[in-house]
Amino acid sequence: MTVGIEMGLSMGPGAEPARLDLEELLATRLLVQGNSGSGKSHLLRRLLEQSAGAVQQVVIDPEGDFVTLAEAYGHVVVDGAHGEADLQAIAARVRAHRVSVVLTLESLDMEAQMRAAAAFLGGLFEAERSHWHPALIVVDEAQIFAPAAAGDVSDEARKASLGAMTNLMCRGRKRGLAGVIATQRLAKLAKNVAAEASNFLMGRTFLDIDMARAADLLGLDRRGAERFRDLSRGEFVALGPALSRRPLALRIGPVRSEEHT
């Protein structure tokens, strides 16, 4: 049976519920883009709340924003400060027991975040075949873990993190892993990782380079991408087989759990 996740309401006259097809999402992956203040984290929280109980969820959380899901929905919070071998083992148990978790990385610097995420994603990816159950893998601030260019971290950490993200988005489907990646800066996200998504939710975007990337991914002309500048907080344009066959403007609905402060 198809599970429809109600993300909010379409904008314009005759507003109707805007739904996301969970079964289709599990097969086709999702990219969320929105500058700071666009409501990107609120959108992810809405998605997680609405699909809780219908599918296993794993959240890679660099800012600790999603730990409140534990109290409201029973997610287990995993501290990313564990050693890499421990994180891989924990990830394997997460798949075996089909528990929903939040991997919080807020206590770590960027390089340590990348290493921890790579280890945890690797553990999910390398789980035994008998444990390849469907799971949403939500990665916030994905440009940290799949950077488009080298930064102030070691090549070893960058390659490990980028490799894990590439496996998630390119090869995860056969293992039941459906990547949902979110970024503030599309231009800073590795192109091969972004290109594997078939569904898009695009929020407020100001920089020309990010709008150009968004237009390219969505098959829009530059004029079509200009609309992203005019979106208000919580407003997104949806496109993709799990969302809408044509660009659909929608306003994200409310959430129940509180954001971590």
Side-chain angles (χ1 to χ4, degrees), residues 61-131:
D61 184 9
E63 301 293 339
D65 289 336
F66 297 96
V67 295
T68 53
L69 291 170
E71 183 175 350
Y73 293 93
H75 290 59
V76 174
V77 177
V78 176
D79 190 342
H82 288 285
E84 292 178 33
D86 288 340
L87 288 172
Q88 290 176 335
I90 292 169
R93 292 198 296 272
V94 164
R95 296 223 69 186
H97 296 290
R98 304 180 74 172
V99 63
S100 290
V101 302
V102 177
L103 177 68
T104 179
L105 305 173
E106 64 177 329
S107 67
L108 306 177
D109 62 31
M110 184 176 294
E111 179 160 337
Q113 287 188 346
M114 295 172 78
R115 292 180 182 278
F120 200 80
L121 289 172
L124 297 175
F125 190 81
E126 298 297 340
E128 295 180 14
R129 181 181 288 269
S130 60
H131 300 152

Short mmCIF file of all heavy atoms in Angstrom, two decimals, residues 61-131:
data_model
loop_
_atom_site.label_atom_id
_atom_site.label_comp_id
_atom_site.label_asym_id
_atom_site.label_seq_id
_atom_site.Cartn_x
_atom_site.Cartn_y
_atom_site.Cartn_z
N ASP A 61 23.32 14.23 12.04
CA ASP A 61 22.92 15.52 12.58
C ASP A 61 24.13 16.31 13.09
O ASP A 61 24.53 16.18 14.24
CB ASP A 61 21.93 15.26 13.73
CG ASP A 61 21.36 16.52 14.34
OD1 ASP A 61 21.58 17.61 13.79
OD2 ASP A 61 20.67 16.40 15.38
N PRO A 62 24.73 17.15 12.24
CA PRO A 62 25.95 17.85 12.65
C PRO A 62 25.75 18.93 13.70
O PRO A 62 26.69 19.30 14.41
CB PRO A 62 26.47 18.46 11.34
CG PRO A 62 25.28 18.58 10.47
CD PRO A 62 24.40 17.42 10.82
N GLU A 63 24.53 19.45 13.85
CA GLU A 63 24.28 20.54 14.79
C GLU A 63 23.49 20.12 16.02
O GLU A 63 23.19 20.94 16.88
CB GLU A 63 23.53 21.68 14.07
CG GLU A 63 24.26 22.27 12.87
CD GLU A 63 25.52 23.01 13.28
OE1 GLU A 63 25.63 23.41 14.45
OE2 GLU A 63 26.41 23.18 12.42
N GLY A 64 23.10 18.87 16.11
CA GLY A 64 22.29 18.42 17.25
C GLY A 64 20.86 18.92 17.20
O GLY A 64 20.18 18.96 18.22
N ASP A 65 20.38 19.26 16.02
CA ASP A 65 19.03 19.84 15.88
C ASP A 65 17.92 18.81 16.06
O ASP A 65 16.79 19.18 16.39
CB ASP A 65 18.87 20.47 14.49
CG ASP A 65 19.68 21.75 14.32
OD1 ASP A 65 19.99 22.39 15.34
OD2 ASP A 65 20.01 22.08 13.17
N PHE A 66 18.23 17.53 15.85
CA PHE A 66 17.16 16.54 15.78
C PHE A 66 17.12 15.57 16.95
O PHE A 66 16.37 14.60 16.93
CB PHE A 66 17.29 15.75 14.46
CG PHE A 66 17.12 16.62 13.25
CD1 PHE A 66 18.24 17.15 12.59
CD2 PHE A 66 15.87 16.95 12.78
CE1 PHE A 66 18.09 17.96 11.48
CE2 PHE A 66 15.71 17.77 11.67
CZ PHE A 66 16.83 18.28 11.02
N VAL A 67 17.89 15.87 18.00
CA VAL A 67 17.91 14.95 19.16
C VAL A 67 16.57 14.92 19.88
O VAL A 67 16.26 13.95 20.57
CB VAL A 67 19.04 15.32 20.13
CG1 VAL A 67 20.40 15.13 19.49
CG2 VAL A 67 18.89 16.76 20.64
N THR A 68 15.75 15.97 19.70
CA THR A 68 14.44 15.99 20.37
C THR A 68 13.47 14.97 19.78
O THR A 68 12.42 14.71 20.36
CB THR A 68 13.81 17.39 20.28
OG1 THR A 68 13.80 17.82 18.91
CG2 THR A 68 14.61 18.39 21.10
N LEU A 69 13.82 14.37 18.65
CA LEU A 69 12.99 13.28 18.12
C LEU A 69 12.99 12.08 19.06
O LEU A 69 12.07 11.26 19.02
CB LEU A 69 13.50 12.85 16.74
CG LEU A 69 13.31 13.85 15.59
CD1 LEU A 69 14.07 13.38 14.36
CD2 LEU A 69 11.85 14.05 15.26
N ALA A 70 14.01 11.98 19.89
CA ALA A 70 14.12 10.84 20.81
C ALA A 70 12.94 10.81 21.78
O ALA A 70 12.28 9.77 21.95
CB ALA A 70 15.44 10.91 21.57
N GLU A 71 12.66 11.93 22.39
CA GLU A 71 11.57 11.98 23.37
C GLU A 71 10.21 11.85 22.70
O GLU A 71 9.31 11.17 23.20
CB GLU A 71 11.63 13.29 24.16
CG GLU A 71 10.57 13.39 25.25
CD GLU A 71 10.72 14.64 26.10
OE1 GLU A 71 11.75 15.32 25.97
OE2 GLU A 71 9.80 14.92 26.88
N ALA A 72 10.05 12.50 21.56
CA ALA A 72 8.74 12.53 20.91
C ALA A 72 8.42 11.26 20.12
O ALA A 72 7.26 10.85 20.06
CB ALA A 72 8.66 13.76 19.98
N TYR A 73 9.46 10.64 19.51
CA TYR A 73 9.20 9.52 18.60
C TYR A 73 10.03 8.28 18.88
O TYR A 73 9.95 7.31 18.14
CB TYR A 73 9.42 9.98 17.15
CG TYR A 73 8.40 11.00 16.73
CD1 TYR A 73 8.66 12.36 16.84
CD2 TYR A 73 7.17 10.61 16.21
CE1 TYR A 73 7.71 13.30 16.47
CE2 TYR A 73 6.21 11.54 15.84
CZ TYR A 73 6.49 12.88 15.97
OH TYR A 73 5.55 13.81 15.60
N GLY A 74 10.84 8.31 19.94
CA GLY A 74 11.56 7.11 20.35
C GLY A 74 12.86 6.85 19.64
O GLY A 74 13.43 5.76 19.76
N HIS A 75 13.39 7.84 18.89
CA HIS A 75 14.68 7.65 18.26
C HIS A 75 15.78 7.49 19.32
O HIS A 75 15.74 8.14 20.37
CB HIS A 75 15.03 8.86 17.38
CG HIS A 75 14.19 8.99 16.14
ND1 HIS A 75 12.82 9.12 16.20
CD2 HIS A 75 14.52 9.00 14.83
CE1 HIS A 75 12.34 9.21 14.96
NE2 HIS A 75 13.35 9.14 14.11
N VAL A 76 16.75 6.66 19.03
CA VAL A 76 17.90 6.49 19.91
C VAL A 76 18.97 7.49 19.47
O VAL A 76 19.29 7.59 18.29
CB VAL A 76 18.45 5.05 19.81
CG1 VAL A 76 19.74 4.92 20.63
CG2 VAL A 76 17.41 4.06 20.29
N VAL A 77 19.51 8.25 20.43
CA VAL A 77 20.55 9.23 20.13
C VAL A 77 21.91 8.57 20.30
O VAL A 77 22.22 8.01 21.36
CB VAL A 77 20.44 10.47 21.04
CG1 VAL A 77 21.58 11.43 20.76
CG2 VAL A 77 19.10 11.16 20.82
N VAL A 78 22.73 8.63 19.24
CA VAL A 78 24.08 8.05 19.26
C VAL A 78 25.08 9.20 19.21
O VAL A 78 25.01 10.06 18.33
CB VAL A 78 24.30 7.11 18.06
CG1 VAL A 78 25.74 6.61 18.03
CG2 VAL A 78 23.31 5.96 18.08
N ASP A 79 26.00 9.23 20.15
CA ASP A 79 27.02 10.28 20.21
C ASP A 79 28.14 9.94 19.22
O ASP A 79 28.76 8.89 19.30
CB ASP A 79 27.58 10.37 21.63
CG ASP A 79 28.48 11.58 21.83
OD1 ASP A 79 28.96 12.15 20.83
OD2 ASP A 79 28.71 11.95 23.00
N GLY A 80 28.40 10.86 18.30
CA GLY A 80 29.43 10.64 17.29
C GLY A 80 30.84 10.63 17.84
O GLY A 80 31.79 10.36 17.09
N ALA A 81 31.02 10.91 19.13
CA ALA A 81 32.35 10.91 19.72
C ALA A 81 32.91 9.50 19.94
O ALA A 81 34.07 9.35 20.33
CB ALA A 81 32.33 11.67 21.05
N HIS A 82 32.10 8.48 19.71
CA HIS A 82 32.62 7.11 19.78
C HIS A 82 33.72 6.92 18.74
O HIS A 82 33.78 7.62 17.73
CB HIS A 82 31.50 6.10 19.50
CG HIS A 82 30.49 5.97 20.60
ND1 HIS A 82 30.74 5.31 21.78
CD2 HIS A 82 29.22 6.41 20.69
CE1 HIS A 82 29.67 5.35 22.55
NE2 HIS A 82 28.73 6.02 21.91
N GLY A 83 34.57 5.94 18.95
CA GLY A 83 35.60 5.61 17.98
C GLY A 83 34.97 5.08 16.70
O GLY A 83 33.83 4.62 16.68
N GLU A 84 35.75 5.11 15.61
CA GLU A 84 35.20 4.73 14.31
C GLU A 84 34.77 3.27 14.28
O GLU A 84 33.72 2.93 13.71
CB GLU A 84 36.24 5.02 13.22
CG GLU A 84 36.48 6.52 13.01
CD GLU A 84 37.54 6.80 11.96
OE1 GLU A 84 37.65 6.02 10.99
OE2 GLU A 84 38.26 7.81 12.11
N ALA A 85 35.53 2.39 14.88
CA ALA A 85 35.17 0.97 14.90
C ALA A 85 33.87 0.77 15.68
O ALA A 85 33.00 -0.04 15.28
CB ALA A 85 36.29 0.13 15.51
N ASP A 86 33.73 1.50 16.79
CA ASP A 86 32.49 1.41 17.58
C ASP A 86 31.30 1.92 16.78
O ASP A 86 30.22 1.33 16.82
CB ASP A 86 32.63 2.22 18.87
CG ASP A 86 33.56 1.57 19.87
OD1 ASP A 86 33.80 0.35 19.77
OD2 ASP A 86 34.06 2.29 20.77
N LEU A 87 31.49 3.02 16.04
CA LEU A 87 30.40 3.57 15.24
C LEU A 87 29.96 2.59 14.15
O LEU A 87 28.77 2.45 13.87
CB LEU A 87 30.81 4.90 14.63
CG LEU A 87 30.92 6.08 15.61
CD1 LEU A 87 31.53 7.29 14.91
CD2 LEU A 87 29.55 6.44 16.19
N GLN A 88 30.92 1.92 13.54
CA GLN A 88 30.57 0.92 12.53
C GLN A 88 29.77 -0.23 13.14
O GLN A 88 28.79 -0.70 12.55
CB GLN A 88 31.84 0.39 11.87
CG GLN A 88 32.54 1.40 10.97
CD GLN A 88 33.84 0.86 10.40
OE1 GLN A 88 34.46 -0.03 10.97
NE2 GLN A 88 34.26 1.41 9.27
N ALA A 89 30.19 -0.66 14.32
CA ALA A 89 29.48 -1.76 14.99
C ALA A 89 28.07 -1.33 15.41
O ALA A 89 27.12 -2.11 15.28
CB ALA A 89 30.29 -2.22 16.21
N ILE A 90 27.95 -0.11 15.91
CA ILE A 90 26.63 0.41 16.29
C ILE A 90 25.71 0.48 15.08
O ILE A 90 24.54 0.10 15.13
CB ILE A 90 26.77 1.80 16.95
CG1 ILE A 90 27.47 1.68 18.30
CG2 ILE A 90 25.39 2.45 17.13
CD1 ILE A 90 27.88 3.03 18.89
N ALA A 91 26.26 0.96 13.95
CA ALA A 91 25.46 1.06 12.73
C ALA A 91 24.97 -0.31 12.27
O ALA A 91 23.83 -0.45 11.81
CB ALA A 91 26.28 1.72 11.63
N ALA A 92 25.81 -1.33 12.40
CA ALA A 92 25.40 -2.68 12.04
C ALA A 92 24.25 -3.16 12.92
O ALA A 92 23.29 -3.79 12.43
CB ALA A 92 26.59 -3.64 12.14
N ARG A 93 24.31 -2.84 14.22
CA ARG A 93 23.22 -3.23 15.12
C ARG A 93 21.95 -2.44 14.82
O ARG A 93 20.83 -2.98 14.95
CB ARG A 93 23.64 -3.01 16.58
CG ARG A 93 24.74 -3.96 17.03
CD ARG A 93 24.84 -4.04 18.54
NE ARG A 93 25.21 -2.79 19.15
CZ ARG A 93 26.47 -2.39 19.34
NH1 ARG A 93 27.48 -3.17 18.93
NH2 ARG A 93 26.73 -1.24 19.92
N VAL A 94 22.10 -1.18 14.42
CA VAL A 94 20.95 -0.36 14.04
C VAL A 94 20.19 -1.00 12.89
O VAL A 94 18.96 -1.07 12.89
CB VAL A 94 21.42 1.06 13.65
CG1 VAL A 94 20.34 1.83 12.90
CG2 VAL A 94 21.81 1.85 14.91
N ARG A 95 20.92 -1.51 11.90
CA ARG A 95 20.27 -2.17 10.77
C ARG A 95 19.65 -3.50 11.20
O ARG A 95 18.56 -3.86 10.76
CB ARG A 95 21.26 -2.39 9.64
CG ARG A 95 21.79 -1.12 9.02
CD ARG A 95 21.83 -1.18 7.51
NE ARG A 95 20.50 -1.18 6.91
CZ ARG A 95 20.28 -1.35 5.60
NH1 ARG A 95 21.29 -1.54 4.78
NH2 ARG A 95 19.05 -1.35 5.13
N ALA A 96 20.36 -4.22 12.03
CA ALA A 96 19.87 -5.54 12.45
C ALA A 96 18.56 -5.43 13.23
O ALA A 96 17.64 -6.23 13.05
CB ALA A 96 20.92 -6.24 13.29
N HIS A 97 18.46 -4.41 14.09
CA HIS A 97 17.29 -4.26 14.96
C HIS A 97 16.27 -3.27 14.43
O HIS A 97 15.24 -3.05 15.06
CB HIS A 97 17.74 -3.85 16.36
CG HIS A 97 18.60 -4.89 17.05
ND1 HIS A 97 18.09 -6.09 17.49
CD2 HIS A 97 19.93 -4.92 17.32
CE1 HIS A 97 19.07 -6.80 18.03
NE2 HIS A 97 20.19 -6.12 17.93
N ARG A 98 16.57 -2.64 13.29
CA ARG A 98 15.64 -1.72 12.61
C ARG A 98 15.18 -0.59 13.53
O ARG A 98 14.02 -0.19 13.52
CB ARG A 98 14.44 -2.49 12.04
CG ARG A 98 14.84 -3.60 11.11
CD ARG A 98 13.67 -4.37 10.55
NE ARG A 98 12.96 -3.61 9.54
CZ ARG A 98 11.99 -4.11 8.77
NH1 ARG A 98 11.62 -5.38 8.92
NH2 ARG A 98 11.39 -3.38 7.86
N VAL A 99 16.11 -0.07 14.32
CA VAL A 99 15.80 1.02 15.23
C VAL A 99 16.10 2.35 14.54
O VAL A 99 17.04 2.46 13.74
CB VAL A 99 16.61 0.89 16.54
CG1 VAL A 99 18.10 0.98 16.28
CG2 VAL A 99 16.19 1.94 17.55
N SER A 100 15.29 3.36 14.82
CA SER A 100 15.54 4.69 14.28
C SER A 100 16.49 5.44 15.20
O SER A 100 16.33 5.41 16.43
CB SER A 100 14.23 5.47 14.13
OG SER A 100 13.44 4.92 13.08
N VAL A 101 17.48 6.13 14.62
CA VAL A 101 18.51 6.77 15.42
C VAL A 101 18.84 8.16 14.90
O VAL A 101 18.60 8.48 13.73
CB VAL A 101 19.82 5.93 15.45
CG1 VAL A 101 19.57 4.54 16.00
CG2 VAL A 101 20.45 5.86 14.08
N VAL A 102 19.40 8.97 15.79
CA VAL A 102 19.98 10.26 15.44
C VAL A 102 21.45 10.21 15.83
O VAL A 102 21.78 10.03 17.01
CB VAL A 102 19.29 11.42 16.18
CG1 VAL A 102 19.98 12.75 15.85
CG2 VAL A 102 17.80 11.48 15.82
N LEU A 103 22.35 10.32 14.86
CA LEU A 103 23.79 10.40 15.13
C LEU A 103 24.13 11.87 15.31
O LEU A 103 24.17 12.64 14.34
CB LEU A 103 24.59 9.80 13.98
CG LEU A 103 26.12 9.90 14.13
CD1 LEU A 103 26.61 9.02 15.28
CD2 LEU A 103 26.82 9.53 12.82
N THR A 104 24.34 12.29 16.56
CA THR A 104 24.63 13.70 16.82
C THR A 104 26.13 13.95 16.83
O THR A 104 26.89 13.24 17.49
CB THR A 104 23.99 14.16 18.15
OG1 THR A 104 24.31 15.54 18.38
CG2 THR A 104 24.46 13.33 19.33
N LEU A 105 26.54 14.97 16.07
CA LEU A 105 27.96 15.26 15.88
C LEU A 105 28.34 16.65 16.40
O LEU A 105 29.44 17.13 16.11
CB LEU A 105 28.30 15.17 14.38
CG LEU A 105 27.93 13.86 13.68
CD1 LEU A 105 28.16 13.98 12.17
CD2 LEU A 105 28.72 12.69 14.24
N GLU A 106 27.46 17.27 17.15
CA GLU A 106 27.65 18.67 17.51
C GLU A 106 28.87 18.93 18.38
O GLU A 106 29.39 20.04 18.41
CB GLU A 106 26.40 19.23 18.20
CG GLU A 106 26.05 18.57 19.53
CD GLU A 106 24.86 19.23 20.19
OE1 GLU A 106 24.67 20.45 19.99
OE2 GLU A 106 24.13 18.54 20.91
N SER A 107 29.37 17.92 19.08
CA SER A 107 30.53 18.12 19.95
C SER A 107 31.86 18.00 19.21
O SER A 107 32.91 18.22 19.81
CB SER A 107 30.49 17.10 21.10
OG SER A 107 30.68 15.78 20.61
N LEU A 108 31.81 17.69 17.91
CA LEU A 108 33.03 17.41 17.15
C LEU A 108 33.39 18.54 16.20
O LEU A 108 32.51 19.27 15.73
CB LEU A 108 32.84 16.13 16.33
CG LEU A 108 32.38 14.88 17.09
CD1 LEU A 108 32.16 13.73 16.13
CD2 LEU A 108 33.39 14.50 18.18
N ASP A 109 34.69 18.68 15.90
CA ASP A 109 35.08 19.62 14.86
C ASP A 109 34.77 19.01 13.49
O ASP A 109 34.35 17.85 13.38
CB ASP A 109 36.55 20.01 14.97
CG ASP A 109 37.52 18.84 14.81
OD1 ASP A 109 37.19 17.87 14.07
OD2 ASP A 109 38.61 18.87 15.41
N MET A 110 34.96 19.78 12.42
CA MET A 110 34.49 19.35 11.12
C MET A 110 35.16 18.06 10.65
O MET A 110 34.49 17.16 10.13
CB MET A 110 34.70 20.45 10.08
CG MET A 110 34.14 20.08 8.70
SD MET A 110 34.28 21.42 7.49
CE MET A 110 33.18 22.62 8.21
N GLU A 111 36.46 17.95 10.83
CA GLU A 111 37.14 16.73 10.37
C GLU A 111 36.65 15.52 11.14
O GLU A 111 36.43 14.45 10.55
CB GLU A 111 38.65 16.87 10.50
CG GLU A 111 39.39 15.61 10.05
CD GLU A 111 40.85 15.84 9.70
OE1 GLU A 111 41.22 16.99 9.38
OE2 GLU A 111 41.61 14.86 9.72
N ALA A 112 36.46 15.67 12.45
CA ALA A 112 35.97 14.56 13.26
C ALA A 112 34.53 14.21 12.87
O ALA A 112 34.15 13.03 12.87
CB ALA A 112 36.04 14.91 14.74
N GLN A 113 33.73 15.21 12.51
CA GLN A 113 32.38 14.94 12.03
C GLN A 113 32.41 14.10 10.76
O GLN A 113 31.64 13.14 10.61
CB GLN A 113 31.64 16.25 11.75
CG GLN A 113 31.20 17.00 12.99
CD GLN A 113 30.32 18.19 12.66
OE1 GLN A 113 30.22 18.62 11.51
NE2 GLN A 113 29.65 18.73 13.67
N MET A 114 33.32 14.46 9.86
CA MET A 114 33.42 13.72 8.59
C MET A 114 33.84 12.28 8.83
O MET A 114 33.30 11.35 8.22
CB MET A 114 34.40 14.43 7.66
CG MET A 114 33.94 15.81 7.22
SD MET A 114 35.19 16.74 6.30
CE MET A 114 35.06 15.96 4.69
N ARG A 115 34.79 12.07 9.72
CA ARG A 115 35.26 10.72 10.01
C ARG A 115 34.15 9.88 10.67
O ARG A 115 33.96 8.71 10.34
CB ARG A 115 36.49 10.76 10.92
CG ARG A 115 37.74 11.33 10.24
CD ARG A 115 38.92 11.34 11.20
NE ARG A 115 40.11 11.92 10.62
CZ ARG A 115 40.96 11.27 9.83
NH1 ARG A 115 40.76 9.99 9.55
NH2 ARG A 115 42.03 11.88 9.35
N ALA A 116 33.44 10.50 11.61
CA ALA A 116 32.37 9.79 12.31
C ALA A 116 31.23 9.42 11.36
O ALA A 116 30.72 8.30 11.37
CB ALA A 116 31.84 10.64 13.47
N ALA A 117 30.84 10.37 10.52
CA ALA A 117 29.76 10.10 9.56
C ALA A 117 30.17 9.01 8.58
O ALA A 117 29.38 8.12 8.24
CB ALA A 117 29.39 11.38 8.81
N ALA A 118 31.44 9.06 8.11
CA ALA A 118 31.92 8.05 7.17
C ALA A 118 31.87 6.66 7.81
O ALA A 118 31.46 5.67 7.17
CB ALA A 118 33.34 8.38 6.73
N ALA A 119 32.29 6.57 9.07
CA ALA A 119 32.29 5.27 9.75
C ALA A 119 30.87 4.75 9.93
O ALA A 119 30.60 3.56 9.69
CB ALA A 119 32.99 5.41 11.11
N PHE A 120 29.97 5.62 10.35
CA PHE A 120 28.59 5.20 10.61
C PHE A 120 27.88 4.81 9.31
O PHE A 120 27.24 3.76 9.23
CB PHE A 120 27.82 6.31 11.32
CG PHE A 120 26.59 5.84 12.03
CD1 PHE A 120 26.68 5.24 13.27
CD2 PHE A 120 25.34 5.98 11.45
CE1 PHE A 120 25.54 4.79 13.93
CE2 PHE A 120 24.20 5.53 12.10
CZ PHE A 120 24.30 4.94 13.34
N LEU A 121 28.02 5.64 8.28
CA LEU A 121 27.42 5.31 6.99
C LEU A 121 28.02 4.02 6.42
O LEU A 121 27.32 3.21 5.81
CB LEU A 121 27.62 6.46 6.00
CG LEU A 121 26.80 7.73 6.26
CD1 LEU A 121 27.24 8.85 5.32
CD2 LEU A 121 25.31 7.46 6.09
N GLY A 122 29.33 3.84 6.63
CA GLY A 122 29.97 2.62 6.18
C GLY A 122 29.40 1.39 6.87
O GLY A 122 29.19 0.35 6.23
N GLY A 123 29.13 1.51 8.17
CA GLY A 123 28.54 0.41 8.90
C GLY A 123 27.14 0.07 8.41
O GLY A 123 26.77 -1.11 8.32
N LEU A 124 26.36 1.10 8.09
CA LEU A 124 25.02 0.87 7.52
C LEU A 124 25.13 0.17 6.17
O LEU A 124 24.38 -0.77 5.87
CB LEU A 124 24.28 2.20 7.34
CG LEU A 124 23.96 3.02 8.59
CD1 LEU A 124 23.34 4.35 8.17
CD2 LEU A 124 23.01 2.27 9.52
N PHE A 125 26.07 0.65 5.35
CA PHE A 125 26.22 0.16 3.98
C PHE A 125 26.70 -1.28 3.95
O PHE A 125 26.29 -2.07 3.10
CB PHE A 125 27.19 1.07 3.23
CG PHE A 125 27.25 0.83 1.75
CD1 PHE A 125 26.29 1.36 0.90
CD2 PHE A 125 28.27 0.08 1.20
CE1 PHE A 125 26.34 1.14 -0.46
CE2 PHE A 125 28.34 -0.15 -0.17
CZ PHE A 125 27.36 0.39 -1.01
N GLU A 126 27.59 -1.63 4.88
CA GLU A 126 28.21 -2.96 4.87
C GLU A 126 27.45 -3.97 5.73
O GLU A 126 27.95 -5.08 5.96
CB GLU A 126 29.65 -2.86 5.36
CG GLU A 126 30.55 -1.99 4.49
CD GLU A 126 30.72 -2.52 3.08
OE1 GLU A 126 30.47 -3.73 2.87
OE2 GLU A 126 31.08 -1.74 2.18
N ALA A 127 26.27 -3.64 6.17
CA ALA A 127 25.49 -4.57 6.99
C ALA A 127 25.19 -5.86 6.23
O ALA A 127 25.19 -5.89 5.00
CB ALA A 127 24.18 -3.90 7.43
N GLU A 128 24.92 -6.92 6.97
CA GLU A 128 24.61 -8.21 6.35
C GLU A 128 23.38 -8.09 5.45
O GLU A 128 22.45 -7.34 5.74
CB GLU A 128 24.35 -9.26 7.43
CG GLU A 128 25.56 -9.57 8.29
CD GLU A 128 25.23 -10.62 9.36
OE1 GLU A 128 24.17 -11.27 9.23
OE2 GLU A 128 26.03 -10.78 10.29
N ARG A 129 23.37 -8.85 4.37
CA ARG A 129 22.29 -8.79 3.39
C ARG A 129 20.92 -9.03 4.03
O ARG A 129 19.91 -8.44 3.63
CB ARG A 129 22.52 -9.80 2.28
CG ARG A 129 21.46 -9.80 1.18
CD ARG A 129 21.77 -10.85 0.13
NE ARG A 129 22.91 -10.46 -0.68
CZ ARG A 129 22.81 -9.76 -1.81
NH1 ARG A 129 21.61 -9.37 -2.25
NH2 ARG A 129 23.88 -9.45 -2.51
N SER A 130 20.87 -9.89 5.03
CA SER A 130 19.58 -10.20 5.67
C SER A 130 19.01 -8.99 6.42
O SER A 130 17.84 -9.02 6.82
CB SER A 130 19.75 -11.37 6.65
OG SER A 130 20.70 -11.06 7.66
N HIS A 131 19.82 -7.96 6.59
CA HIS A 131 19.38 -6.76 7.31
C HIS A 131 19.14 -5.57 6.37
O HIS A 131 19.04 -4.44 6.83
CB HIS A 131 20.41 -6.37 8.37
CG HIS A 131 20.64 -7.44 9.40
ND1 HIS A 131 21.84 -7.59 10.07
CD2 HIS A 131 19.83 -8.43 9.85
CE1 HIS A 131 21.76 -8.61 10.89
NE2 HIS A 131 20.55 -9.14 10.78
#
